[in-house]
Amino acid sequence: MSSDLQNGQFIRLSETERPEITICVDGVAVRALSGDTVLTALLLAGIRLRDFEFGPGWRAGFCLMGACQDCWVLQENGGTIRACTSYVAEGMRLFTGGDAE
């Protein structure tokens, strides 16, 4: 899995008192806070969302409001969700489509 759990793309500056929950992304436990979007949890953890289709590099969401279609992730049950408009839930299991380590 492509992540750098020490160096996320986002840094949480406020609302740190919300309850902590754990989701599973590409087989790795990721801590999030209740009320976070999936995209927030992924970017805080340093997880890349998906590979870029047209060359080297990766994608991590673009518009942050559900319009650009750049943040789709797979659910364990086979469905897909937009990471930027979907909220985390305890035990959620997601797959980014990135390479697993």
Side-chain angles (χ1 to χ4, degrees):
M1 173 175 162
S2 299
S3 68
D4 182 353
L5 298 178
Q6 300 299 316
N7 298 312
Q9 292 176 290
F10 281 4
I11 297 171
R12 186 179 306 278
L13 298 176
S14 64
E15 298 187 36
T16 58
E17 301 303 317
R18 289 185 275 136
E20 188 175 283
I21 63 172
T22 302
I23 64 173
C24 184
V25 181
D26 296 329
V28 175
V30 172
R31 291 181 310 229
L33 297 184
S34 179
D36 283 351
T37 64
V38 171
L39 186 58
T40 298
L42 296 178
L43 294 178
L44 281 166
I47 297 172
R48 74 184 201 187
L49 202 52
R50 64 184 180 83
D51 291 326
F52 184 55
E53 297 92 346
F54 305 108
W58 54 279
R59 308 294 292 192
F62 178 71
C63 72
L64 303 179
M65 63 181 201
C68 74
Q69 309 293 313
D70 205 36
C71 68
W72 289 102
V73 293
L74 299 170
Q75 298 179 87
E76 183 176 49
N77 68 6
T80 57
I81 59 172
R82 285 187 184 118
C84 72
T85 58
S86 301
Y87 293 97
V88 295
E90 182 67 46
M92 180 179 264
R93 299 181 63 79
L94 303 170
F95 303 94
T96 65
D99 297 331
E101 289 183 11

